Amino acid sequence: MLNMAFQNISRRVFRNVLTVTGLAIFVIIFILVSSVILTAQEGIAESLSNLGGEITIWSQDALLPFLGNIPENHTHLVREMAYVRNVSPQITSVSRVDTEDFRLTLGLNPSDIPVFYTYTMVEGTMLNTNESKAVIGYLFADFLKKKVGYNITINGQTLPLVGIYKTDTWLDNVVIVPFGVAQEIFTLTGRASIIIVTITDPAKINLVIDEIRKELQNVSVFKSQDVAARLAPLMNSVTWMSYTLFTIAGIACFFGITNVVTTGVFERTREIGILKALGAKGTDVTKMIMYESAALGTFGGFLGCIVSSFLLLQGLSIPLTSTTAMRMLIFPEIFLYGLVSSIAISILATIYPVWRAVRVRPREVLQFG
Amino acid sequence: MVKILVLKTNDLSKTYRMGNIDVLALKNVNLRVEKGNFIAIQGPSGSGKTTLLNLLGGLDTPTSGEIWIEDVDITRMKEKKMSDIRCRRIGFIFQFYNLIPGMPAWNNVELPMIFAKTPKKLRKEKARTLLETVGLKHRLQHKPYELSGGEQQRVAIARALANNPAIVLMDEPTGNLDEDNTQNIIELIEKLKKEQQQTFIMVTHDLEMAKRADKLYFLHGGKIANTE
């Protein structure tokens, strides 16, 4: 039966190549989009886990910390609270850096940098005064071909570059300027994007959070380690939408394959009649058609997996801005799901044609006499 | 020599409903076919030959009467069991060969044995032997379109014999062949009848060929008119 299935496939090469290609495209889209979602989830989780501190405060209605806008004087109120050690107001904003649009610039007080972040200097020195100077992550510096002593322009304001640092986090792709300078550049005088807090006693973290929530209006306050989890609803929505699209694409594939296999069954009605006259049972005909479809599904699935892995291994990236990108990660389980989906769709799509084939009556196609 | 009955019909009748009219296709046909017989059935168009072969091959069910193949009553057998009977006890040879186009000759011969779940090694050997028997040892790997009409019909004969059937039903087996090939096929059938005690039931318009049969039935108006 398996041999017969393969022989049947080889007899309709062009049509089957199209079917396999369609399935492969479905699997490629499935794997790549799933990889984008999972990479983004991991990437954002990793980025946000590097915001520093134990408590994070940002605008109540902001989806991302970069979109926050809260009064800077909240910093002073929080600093007065019990168990609070350090409070760092920060500005994170999308900006035009030199000729590059949509780049992140981080503004924070130079004295807070060693408290909240771990870094090593590649060249020059870290910011240590509130003067109009900038430091830049080494990846971004490489990209812009910047060295210490060069100037850098942020939203039209030119600053001397005094240092290049390395953190092995998302900060390696941003420019850091003093907090006051960032307020000036982004016209956020008296405002901050987020406030990061460290405390003296980790056991009192909930107490501090409750206190901040009581004192400050219209802000979200939570543990820094929960920042990524706060984005879960957003990521879940993206995931849900993507999987809805996959389902629709899968249904389209399903009908496409049903159409192809049904056409094939109609064309082979006489042949099926001959097989039944020779003693083939309904189960034999079912097996033959199912094997054909399963083989097409497997070919399509494997082809999709091979092309996807090739693209991912070539360093396919998610563009975050016009110049920066997050390299897509490879999740083996996604390949397995893609392959199984391809085979399952192919097999399910044959239910109707199989039903038609089993009903073929040899008498009607092989009239004697 | 003991005579073994391989096919028996008792008052076999078939009526078709066409619109509001009942059309009698066969009426009280009684056949007795012994092992190793070569039976020919002749008759004009509409005489019931098609209906009779359909019924004997288990491709249709009679309105009344009985059909026995060896010791099995196939009259109103369920489709699944009937498939098994067709597979193991009945061989079919069609006017237009009806080989599966994409398969080489030996694969076509192997088919009924696949459905009979014969082990792979055994069925390969048997397909080779059968093709050798019909004189196509050198055409094992040839696909139907690479064979002449006579060769295709010989492959079809080999296929019909694959599961050692009790009877082989033939529909105008030489109807599509030239004179030489017709002669070859009829000689092959006679050889198989003689050497393997194979039973053949043939519908044909070819009187010369029909005369080579052991017994000739004339069908007229759904009834057996006479026997020679």
Side-chain angles (χ1 to χ4, degrees), chain B residues 114-125:
Chain B
I114 293 175
F115 302 138
K117 304 204 185 324
T118 307
K120 195 172 179 177
K121 197 178 168 189
L122 198 63
R123 62 179 196 245
K124 278 195 168 183
E125 273 173 27

Side-chain angles (χ1 to χ4, degrees), chain B residues 45-59:
Chain B
S45 289
S47 60
K49 302 188 301 294
T50 302
T51 304
L52 182 58
L53 274 190
N54 280 339
L55 294 176
L56 298 182
L59 302 178

Side-chain angles (χ1 to χ4, degrees), chain B residues 17-34:
Chain B
R17 184 118 184 125
M18 295 182 82
N20 293 325
I21 306 162
D22 285 336
V23 178
L24 188 71
L26 277 183
K27 190 175 180 189
N28 298 332
V29 172
N30 290 292
L31 285 178
R32 298 286 183 274
V33 182
E34 286 162 6

Side-chain angles (χ1 to χ4, degrees), chain A residues 74-349:
Chain A
H74 284 352
T75 309
H76 309 302
L77 291 171
V78 176
R79 195 170 279 142
E80 299 304 317
M81 292 177 186
Y83 306 112
V84 170
R85 177 184 286 154
N86 298 100
V87 183
S88 172
Q90 300 185 3
I91 285 176
T92 49
S93 184
V94 177
S95 51
R96 179 178 172 85
V97 177
D98 278 6
T99 55
E100 302 302 319
D101 286 321
F102 306 109
R103 303 306 302 240
L104 275 179
T105 296
L106 177 62
L108 76 168
N109 291 319
S111 57
D112 290 338
I113 296 174
V115 176
F116 288 89
Y117 301 110
T118 306
Y119 63 89
T120 53
M121 292 309 294
V122 176
E123 197 183 340
T125 55
M126 183 46 84
L127 296 174
N128 49 24
T129 68
N130 287 322
E131 291 172 46
S132 291
K133 293 176 182 171
V135 290
I136 187 170
Y138 82 106
L139 290 177
F140 198 14
D142 278 353
F143 178 79
L144 292 174
K145 301 194 177 2
K146 291 284 184 187
K147 289 187 175 170
V148 169
Y150 286 35
N151 285 336
I152 194 161
T153 307
I154 303 167
N155 280 9
Q157 187 160 333
T158 303
L159 306 169
L161 204 56
V162 296
I164 298 172
Y165 60 84
K166 182 180 181 186
T167 62
D168 289 326
T169 69
W170 63 288
L171 290 170
D172 292 337
N173 273 307
V174 307
V175 178
I176 300 177
V177 297
F179 181 69
V181 174
Q183 283 181 317
E184 193 183 320
I185 292 172
F186 301 113
T187 57
L188 286 169
T189 309
R191 313 293 293 183
S193 303
I194 54 173
I195 296 172
I196 307 290
V197 181
T198 59
I199 54 176
T200 53
D201 181 359
K204 304 294 182 189
I205 188 164
N206 290 329
L207 196 70
V208 177
I209 287 172
D210 288 344
E211 184 66 15
I212 296 171
R213 281 178 180 155
K214 201 187 295 173
E215 292 295 324
L216 305 182
Q217 305 298 312
N218 300 323
V219 294
S220 290
V221 186
F222 39 84
K223 294 174 190 171
S224 295
Q225 65 190 39
D226 294 341
V227 173
R230 285 182 63 81
L231 293 175
L234 176 67
M235 293 313 295
N236 286 345
S237 298
V238 174
T239 307
W240 184 85
M241 280 171 61
S242 303
Y243 284 100
T244 304
L245 287 175
F246 293 146
T247 307
I248 292 167
I251 290 169
C253 262
F254 170 89
F255 284 115
I257 295 169
T258 299
N259 183 35
V260 167
V261 180
T262 305
T263 307
V265 165
F266 277 128
E267 286 172 357
R268 281 153 53 194
T269 301
R270 185 173 179 80
E271 196 175 303
I272 291 165
I274 297 168
L275 295 178
K276 293 187 89 176
L278 294 177
K281 295 183 183 71
T283 49
D284 294 321
V285 175
T286 302
K287 271 189 211 167
M288 185 180 73
I289 297 172
M290 286 280 184
Y291 286 159
E292 277 176 49
S293 278
L296 292 179
T298 309
F299 290 150
F302 271 116
L303 182 63
C305 288
I306 289 166
V307 174
S308 305
S309 55
F310 175 77
L311 292 173
L312 290 171
L313 289 170
Q314 288 297 308
L316 202 66
S317 305
I318 305 169
L320 294 175
T321 67
S322 60
T323 52
T324 56
M326 187 187 292
R327 182 163 181 165
M328 276 167 63
L329 304 172
I330 293 177
F331 300 89
E333 67 273 21
I334 293 297
F335 285 78
L336 182 67
Y337 298 154
L339 181 62
V340 170
S341 304
S342 174
I343 297 171
I345 288 170
S346 304
I347 290 177
L348 289 175

